[in-house]
Amino acid sequence: MATLEGFRVRNFGVLKDVTLGRLWDRQKTEALTPMTAVIGKNGVGKSALFDAFGFLADALKSDVEEACDVRGRGGFERIRTQGATGPIEFDVYYREHGNARPITYQIAIAADKFGRPYVLRERLRQKRKGQKSGQPFSFLILNNGSGAAWKGEQAGHQIDEETEDSQLLLEFIKAEESRETEAIELNDPRKLGIATIGALKQHPRISDFRRFIERWYLSYFTPNAARSLPLAGPQKHLNSHGDNLGNVVQFMEREHPRRFQAILKKIADKIPGIDQIDTEKTSDGRLLLRFNDKSFQDPFYAQQMSDGTLKVFAYLLLLEDPTPPPLLCIEEPENGLYHKLLETLANEFRVHATRYRGGSQVFITTHQPYFVNALEPKEVWILEKGTDGFARIRRASEDALVNNMVEEGVPLGSLWYSDYFDSR
Ligand SMILES: Nc1ncnc2c1ncn2[C@@H]1O[C@H](COP(=O)(O)OP(=O)(O)OP(=O)(O)O)[C@@H](O)[C@H]1O
Ligand SMILES: [Mg+2]
């Protein structure tokens, strides 16, 4: 399973420079855990952090210009940290599987003199097999859409940071062009190089990385979307808004009846009355999602069900997806849920995230101490706004006292509730 070990964001809204977990140049820092939760007051940047993942996924799917405009982001200048003049930058540090050598991806996005966003720089690097020390080797270097990529699993080039951006470097790469090296010239400055080059078989590492980001799942679930009437037809995965909930039920009923029964049992334990969920096809080919309640003769349809019921059901379906995404991001999963469900839900997320095979890494933002009660200090990151107006982040486990108290049985959420995490 591919895992994200660290993530750095620069010049993205309130996130002027924020790092979570390990990076290629921060090897001493502990990597992200299978489950990560970000907490903090209003306006500190939780949504911005969630959106940084969303922005990167959107940029890969379409291009950086579209990513700046969609989902109400409002364009490059609105997104970029106020007062900053440098590019928006993301660093992703990840492993394709448990014992793979980690890979670093770096991207910088700037705007031209007409304000149009474009990809200024892209870089992928990895150490060679058996390489203990020294810098990792770059296997993709693009500056303004031109540069080089190294084929296969091993090749690459060690580059002195000083010369990274210079024309000299690119000339050197081109002169060195060989069986392993390929000069790259992209014709659309808004498209990510990994999107184009990652489609080529001779670049397996770039393809794997592209697929890793492509498969991130960001939940934009709304109960109303789950109430829509999709056309019938089984679908494997819940989409990001959740408007194909019925289609996923059709798929699970047919292909994974045992898993589906397990979901029904879980939902019956959590929400009074529900004992069966199934689908019904209308005569015009649409799909109705039916909830059967023991106390009533006729079923209720999704359109009549409560927001919280639909939400819990959608989460349970996500967690039982037989081929889950590598990363699952959910903003404030607690909204609309009964407070006593939250610890159970947090535990279910963790069970899913730590599954030996077939789980997703989980990234959550939350306001809910009950949810945080189920978490360990190294899973919790505290965002706050500094006096300069920019976000700062720290890991709850950086405070030895917090670790001690949690070890002695004080739940993390209650420490937070009693303002223990406020900057002192
Ligand atoms: N371009 C920008 N540069 C600097 N700061 C910005 C920029 N755009 C927005 N902000 C600040 O970032 C904040 C947005 O943060 P965000 O929405 O991520 O907060 P949040 O932690 O999700 O809060 P909530 O708990 O209310 O959802 C805004 O309130 C604003 O102060
Ligand atoms: Mg928010």
Side-chain angles (χ1 to χ4, degrees):
M1 192 175 82
T3 49
L4 181 72
E5 299 209 332
F7 190 56
R8 180 175 187 184
V9 186
R10 273 170 285 185
N11 294 330
F12 191 79
V14 70
L15 310 174
K16 188 166 173 21
D17 190 353
V18 160
T19 302
L20 284 94
R22 184 179 293 164
L23 294 178
W24 73 283
D25 53 356
R26 288 189 192 197
Q27 289 293 306
K28 296 224 165 82
T29 313
E30 203 183 334
L32 287 172
T33 37
M35 172 143 98
T36 297
V38 177
I39 63 173
K41 297 177 181 166
N42 296 119
V44 291
K46 298 181 297 300
S47 297
L49 195 51
F50 175 89
D51 196 40
F53 289 110
F55 180 89
L56 198 53
D58 290 338
L60 178 67
K61 214 173 291 159
S62 45
D63 59 55
V64 291
E65 183 164 24
E66 201 173 317
C68 285
D69 294 334
V70 292
R71 303 193 200 283
R73 292 190 185 113
F76 183 85
E77 279 308 329
R78 281 273 290 281
I79 301 170
R80 177 163 60 178
T81 305
Q82 257 198 53
T85 50
I88 296 173
E89 292 181 76
F90 303 102
D91 292 12
V92 176
Y93 188 70
Y94 105 112
R95 272 177 215 269
E96 181 56 27
H97 54 82
N99 47 17
R101 286 163 287 137
I103 283 177
T104 300
Y105 175 66
Q106 291 168 298
I107 181 169
I109 298 149
D112 66 15
K113 58 176 191 273
F114 304 106
R116 294 176 304 202
Y118 67 97
V119 183
L120 175 69
R121 275 194 308 270
E122 251 178 303
R123 177 95 167 251
L124 273 163
R125 35 181 141 199
Q126 184 181 39
K127 284 194 173 166
R128 288 193 167 158
K129 223 175 252 170
Q131 185 190 344
K132 291 267 177 323
S133 58
Q135 289 213 354
F137 286 71
S138 293
F139 61 97
L140 174 74
I141 305 175
L142 288 171
N143 295 336
N144 285 309
S146 74
W150 280 260
K151 297 174 200 166
E153 301 279 0
Q154 271 288 354
H157 193 86
Q158 262 179 326
I159 286 154
D160 165 6
E161 292 293 319
E162 301 285 294
T163 59
E164 181 181 352
D165 291 331
S166 72
Q167 194 56 33
L168 254 172
L169 169 78
L170 293 179
E171 280 163 18
F172 167 76
I173 292 163
K174 283 176 188 161
E176 206 206 22
E177 201 175 350
S178 66
R179 268 191 317 129
E180 287 185 335
T181 321
E182 192 169 27
I184 307 277
E185 205 74 52
L186 298 176
N187 61 13
D188 186 345
R190 297 166 306 174
K191 285 234 181 291
L192 268 50
I194 54 165
T196 313
I197 307 160
L200 304 174
K201 214 173 163 183
Q202 64 265 36
H203 294 288
R205 288 180 289 183
I206 305 180
S207 307
D208 285 348
F209 181 69
R210 174 185 143 154
R211 259 179 60 74
F212 171 61
I213 296 192
E214 258 170 9
R215 297 185 56 235
W216 285 358
Y217 180 95
L218 284 105
S219 173
Y220 298 99
F221 180 83
T222 57
N224 270 341
R227 294 190 178 100
S228 60
L229 293 172
L231 286 171
Q235 286 177 20
K236 260 189 185 168
H237 305 290
L238 192 67
N239 64 26
S240 61
H241 294 280
D243 52 22
N244 66 341
L245 198 62
N247 304 86
V248 180
V249 170
Q250 262 195 323
F251 173 80
M252 294 297 285
E253 277 174 327
R254 202 176 71 185
E255 305 291 328
H256 299 281
R258 291 235 311 267
R259 265 180 192 247
F260 191 60
Q261 282 310 314
I263 297 176
L264 292 182
K265 190 176 169 328
K266 277 188 187 163
I267 196 161
D269 290 345
K270 292 184 176 60
I271 296 172
I274 293 179
D275 58 330
Q276 184 60 34
I277 302 171
D278 56 14
T279 55
E280 178 188 320
K281 199 171 154 182
T282 63
S283 52
D284 67 344
R286 296 190 178 268
L287 206 57
L288 291 169
L289 189 57
R290 283 196 304 217
F291 292 75
N292 298 281
D293 188 323
K294 279 191 219 104
S295 323
F296 295 91
Q297 200 182 347
D298 295 328
F300 295 107
Y301 293 94
Q303 291 69 23
Q304 302 164 276
M305 294 309 290
S306 79
D307 289 359
T309 307
L310 293 172
K311 198 165 183 181
V312 170
F313 184 48
Y315 289 157
L316 293 177
L317 273 177
L318 272 178
L319 299 183
E320 288 298 329
D321 185 333
T323 48
L327 179 69
L328 185 62
C329 302
I330 305 181
E331 266 228 272
E332 301 176 10
E334 68 267 19
N335 289 345
L337 300 190
Y338 182 55
H339 66 278
K340 288 198 174 162
L341 276 185
L342 297 175
E343 266 190 72
T344 330
L345 191 66
N347 284 319
E348 270 164 24
F349 281 134
R350 182 180 309 94
V351 167
H352 174 81
T354 51
R355 223 182 251 169
Y356 176 60
R357 264 173 210 280
S360 317
Q361 201 168 356
V362 177
F363 180 91
I364 275 165
T365 66
T366 183
H367 271 300
Q368 243 305 339
Y370 289 107
F371 190 91
V372 175
N373 272 344
L375 305 182
E376 291 165 20
K378 64 179 180 192
E379 294 173 325
V380 175
W381 295 77
I382 304 145
L383 257 179
E384 51 192 10
K385 214 177 204 180
T387 44
D388 54 3
F390 303 128
R392 288 191 308 230
I393 200 160
R394 69 204 149 87
R395 208 170 190 164
S397 56
E398 284 168 20
D399 186 336
L401 263 175
V402 168
N403 292 331
N404 289 342
M405 284 201 269
V406 171
E407 236 162 69
E408 278 165 25
V410 184
L412 203 53
S414 28
L415 287 179
W416 179 31
Y417 186 79
S418 47
D419 293 336
Y420 196 82
F421 293 151
D422 284 0
S423 293
R424 275 156 294 158

